């Protein structure tokens, strides 16, 4: 569990995908699936906050969207997703896990192509376009949907958020990454509060994995940055596919 926390924290700090490690690890030590998802999300929260602070000067809001609106969308979506998890039957969630991991893995693997500048130029809204309002509404709906997903599962949240921010017209990847970390922190914090109220967080495992995740996010990142981004992405995708296959076979 300590190893899973360190590796999960390291992956989230560098490229994302920490949930692919923490969720299966918690289930393997006997934590029920819904509680494992909630506990793993809570354990990775400090890493999200640290990443947000690091990128605080890079944060840029999408055109036409105020900070108040962004926070409102995040809070409402995160609350809804976390609440749905609390009312999800353990057996139902267990059946969903391999599909959720597989979906997040596929999104993570195709994410770089979705964020290619040529793709973003196709979805970037124009102020002179007659369809600006409709496109903005669609983008806000997509952001809300991602926040619901993040409150419910959290796996692969970062790359999905980056794709939606591209849809909303952002092209500066540093600014997008900063905003992605901020939204991820808000969603995760809200979800963790609701999970705690619902009593589904395994406190003993949280303390161990949370401390390990903080260590992994700081000490492990030094080693991770020596690896190429492509190697890390390939490793995370491989882990995701293996984990989804294992859960399909369970």
């Amino acid at each position: 569990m300590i190893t899973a926390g360190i590796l999960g924290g390291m992956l989230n700090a560098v490229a994302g995908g920490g949930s692919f490690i923490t969720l299966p690890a918690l289930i393997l030590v006997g934590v029920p699936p819904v509680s494992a998802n909630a506990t793993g999300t809570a354990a990775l929260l400090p890493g999200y906050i640290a990443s947000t602070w690091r990128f605080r000067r890079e944060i840029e809001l999408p055109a036409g969207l105020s900070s108040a609106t962004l926070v409102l969308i995040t809070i409402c979506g995160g609350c809804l997703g976390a609440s749905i998890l609390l009312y999800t039957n353990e057996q139902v969630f267990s059946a969903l896990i391999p599909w959720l991991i597989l979906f997040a893995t596929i999104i993570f693997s195709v994410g770089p192509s979705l964020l290619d500048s040529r793709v973003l130029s196709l979805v970037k809204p124009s102020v002179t376009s007659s369809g600006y309002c409709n496109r903005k509404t669609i983008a806000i709906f997509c952001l809300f949907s991602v926040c619901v997903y993040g409150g419910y599962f959290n796996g692969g949240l970062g790359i999905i958020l980056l794709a939606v921010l591209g849809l909303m017209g952002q092209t500066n990847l540093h600014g997008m990454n900063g905003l992605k970390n901020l939204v991820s922190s808000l969603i995760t914090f809200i979800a963790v509060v609701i999970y705690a109220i619902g009593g589904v967080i395994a406190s003993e495992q949280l303390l161990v994995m949370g401390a390990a995740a903080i260590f992994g996010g700081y000490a492990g990142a030094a080693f991770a940055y020596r690896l190429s981004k492509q190697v890390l992405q390939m490793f995370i995708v491989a882990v995701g596919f293996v984990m989804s296959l294992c859960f399909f076979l369970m």
Side-chain angles (χ1 to χ4, degrees), residues 15-48:
S19 300
F20 297 161
I21 304 294
T22 57
L23 176 62
L26 286 165
I27 292 177
L28 285 174
V29 297
V31 180
V34 170
S35 182
N37 183 60
T39 304
T41 299
L44 294 174
L45 176 59
Y48 279 128

Side-chain angles (χ1 to χ4, degrees), residues 88-176:
T88 300
N89 180 276
E90 292 283 358
Q91 287 74 25
V92 172
F93 189 72
S94 295
L96 286 175
I97 285 177
W99 295 104
L100 290 169
I101 294 179
L102 180 61
F103 169 76
T105 303
I106 292 173
I107 291 295
F108 190 92
S109 62
V110 303
S113 62
L114 290 177
L115 298 174
D116 184 89
S117 59
R118 289 168 296 178
V119 176
L120 293 178
S121 65
L122 297 177
V123 296
K124 183 178 179 181
S126 168
V127 255
T128 59
S129 170
S130 58
Y132 175 79
C133 292
N134 289 335
R135 193 171 298 186
K136 179 182 175 183
T137 301
I138 292 172
I140 291 176
F141 174 77
C142 290
L143 179 59
F144 175 77
S145 300
V146 172
C147 290
V148 173
Y149 170 84
Y152 184 79
F153 184 59
N154 202 265
L157 174 63
I159 197 66
I160 301 174
L161 271 173
L162 287 176
V164 170
L165 292 175
L167 175 67
M168 297 178 77
Q170 290 201 317
T171 56
N172 180 353
L173 287 179
H174 290 298
M176 291 166 68

Side-chain angles (χ1 to χ4, degrees), residues 42-117:
L44 294 174
L45 176 59
Y48 279 128
I49 295 175
S51 298
T52 301
W53 177 256
R54 178 182 178 185
F55 287 101
R56 66 191 183 281
R57 294 187 179 88
E58 304 288 346
I59 295 175
E60 298 176 359
L61 294 175
L65 194 65
S66 67
S67 56
T69 302
L70 180 69
V71 170
L72 181 61
I73 292 171
T74 304
I75 291 176
C76 292
C79 283
L80 179 58
S83 300
I84 292 173
L85 178 69
L86 292 184
Y87 289 98
T88 300
N89 180 276
E90 292 283 358
Q91 287 74 25
V92 172
F93 189 72
S94 295
L96 286 175
I97 285 177
W99 295 104
L100 290 169
I101 294 179
L102 180 61
F103 169 76
T105 303
I106 292 173
I107 291 295
F108 190 92
S109 62
V110 303
S113 62
L114 290 177
L115 298 174
D116 184 89
S117 59

Side-chain angles (χ1 to χ4, degrees), residues 45 49 184-194:
L45 176 59
I49 295 175
S184 296
S185 297
L186 288 172
I187 293 173
T188 305
F189 177 76
I190 293 163
V192 167
V193 169
I194 294 177

